[in-house]
Amino acid sequence: QVQLVQSGGGLVQAGDSLKLSCAASSPTFNFNMYTMAWFRQGLGQEREFVTAWRNRGGSTSADSVKGRVVSSKDFTNNTLYLHLFRLKPEDTAVYFCAATRRVEVIDAARSYEYWGQGTQVTVSS
């Protein structure tokens, strides 16, 4: 069982930047064995793909955030980060990190086995 514990988020103004954290753990956790992703879900909306790291090292992002997000890994502390830039009010959502050992469709929520608790990001005009 992989545990994903999130932190960060909060209220920011449009144009600001923000960093979210996702600490992953299990007795044998290794980033190289998992595809790691970020999703977000606005009020009354479907869960939406944001960005992901493939287990072999490559990354991919949704068109809606391309150029405004960077995801990075801290291998020492098994922590995944999401850096958000030039935030817009439409970025307001609960952000979730997720992990899976074997991904079928990298941008589909149904592909992921483990989920963080989510953290709220609110962007004001």
Side-chain angles (χ1 to χ4, degrees):
Q1 181 71 32
V2 174
Q3 297 175 359
L4 303 176
V5 180
Q6 297 182 231
S7 61
L11 175 64
V12 298
Q13 295 182 345
D16 284 354
S17 300
L18 195 64
K19 183 175 74 175
L20 309 181
S21 299
C22 174
S25 65
S26 77
T28 58
F29 184 82
N30 186 333
F31 268 135
N32 292 330
M33 299 175 63
Y34 293 88
T35 294
M36 305 293 299
W38 292 93
F39 290 80
R40 65 187 184 184
Q41 188 167 13
L43 185 63
Q45 304 296 311
E46 296 293 316
R47 192 160 296 186
E48 176 188 28
F49 175 74
V50 178
T51 190
W53 276 103
R54 302 180 190 276
N55 57 357
R56 294 185 181 275
S59 64
T60 186
S61 299
D63 289 342
S64 61
V65 298
K66 195 163 295 182
R68 300 193 298 115
V69 301
V70 176
S71 184
S72 61
K73 296 177 180 178
D74 179 343
F75 284 87
T76 299
N77 296 304
N78 288 333
T79 300
L80 183 74
Y81 296 99
L82 180 66
H83 303 260
L84 300 158
F85 304 98
R86 302 191 307 279
L87 284 161
K88 305 174 181 179
E90 52 262 45
D91 294 319
T92 295
V94 176
Y95 284 70
F96 298 89
C97 62
T100 190
R101 290 179 67 91
R102 303 183 71 180
V103 65
E104 182 177 347
V105 182
I106 196 165
D107 62 351
R110 58 180 167 79
S111 295
Y112 292 83
E113 303 172 86
Y114 307 105
W115 292 85
Q117 81 277 19
T119 186
Q120 178 71 43
V121 172
T122 301
V123 185
S124 63
S125 300

